[in-house]
Amino acid sequence: MYKRLSEQVQSLVNPQRSDTFIKRFREAVRTGQIKAINLPSERFTMPKQYTRRGKTGTYQKDTKEMLFEVTPEFEAWFEEQNKDLAVSRQGGQVKVTEETLAAGLVDFGALARETQAKMQASYEKGQLLGKSRGAKSKPGVPRASRRHVPAPAKRAHNPHAGVRQAV
């Protein structure tokens, strides 16, 4: 039995990884793991949605259509690839949403511990900062009196001081 690459791509769990699947598929054809042929002048649109940096909206790419032989070896290879591509990119972060929590793609317990640790560190940093500012004050002198120190009292003006009188 033969199948089109475009049909197989539709059965991926994560269509955003279709570009990676196609690269791996072509590599497997090149190395002889999968037997396939190119269908000349036929192309299909990949389901992946691409975005350009700094721009709004998405676009899609076309790729060459191929026809391949469906064998038990291919089925096993596809299951492995599909499982590997089901999660987001290696090294990438899965965005935390209710859906990803429900699907089990993120660990709620680990995220809760991480949130608690961040909040505790922030709290301790604030406490430490407050203590370091308080330590700079002079002991026994209230803060309010340090802010405004009254100028020393001036002596009354004597217009005759320092003036010599003629005798």
Side-chain angles (χ1 to χ4, degrees):
M1 182 171 117
Y2 301 102
K3 196 172 186 180
R4 288 176 172 259
L5 179 58
S6 56
E7 293 171 25
Q8 193 65 38
V9 165
Q10 296 305 317
S11 54
L12 285 171
V13 173
N14 186 353
Q16 276 299 105
R17 303 297 308 279
S18 60
D19 59 333
T20 305
F21 172 74
I22 291 170
K23 285 178 192 172
R24 291 181 183 182
F25 180 84
R26 291 185 187 282
E27 176 70 17
V29 170
R30 189 182 65 75
T31 59
Q33 284 182 284
I34 299 171
K35 291 183 181 173
I37 59 168
N38 280 321
L39 294 175
S41 71
E42 287 192 43
R43 298 179 74 78
F44 72 95
T45 303
M46 290 189 280
K48 178 172 179 167
Q49 299 286 321
Y50 293 90
T51 56
R52 288 189 175 93
R53 288 187 185 158
K55 307 243 177 168
T56 57
T58 60
Y59 66 99
Q60 291 178 303
K61 292 183 180 179
D62 287 351
T63 190
K64 294 177 185 175
E65 181 69 271
M66 295 183 84
L67 192 67
F68 63 94
E69 187 175 23
V70 179
T71 62
E73 291 82 19
F74 171 77
E75 294 291 343
W77 178 87
F78 178 73
E79 285 303 316
E80 181 184 329
Q81 297 302 316
N82 200 16
K83 194 183 303 177
D84 187 37
L85 295 173
V87 294
S88 289
R89 298 184 316 265
Q90 288 81 3
Q93 290 288 333
V94 176
K95 188 174 183 180
V96 179
T97 62
E98 286 182 50
E99 291 80 20
T100 56
L101 282 168
L105 296 175
V106 291
D107 181 7
F108 182 80
L111 288 172
R113 286 188 297 277
E114 187 178 314
T115 302
Q116 180 186 7
K118 282 182 182 177
M119 291 177 79
Q120 183 64 30
S122 177
Y123 174 79
E124 288 172 3
K125 182 178 177 183
Q127 293 297 310
L128 188 64
L129 187 60
K131 286 179 184 174
S132 69
R133 286 183 178 161
K136 291 178 186 173
S137 66
K138 297 172 188 159
V141 179
R143 282 185 70 98
S145 66
R146 281 190 297 128
R147 283 194 186 132
H148 178 69
V149 178
K154 293 183 180 178
R155 290 194 257 162
H157 179 67
N158 183 353
H160 302 290
V163 177
R164 289 190 182 177
Q165 293 183 349
V167 183

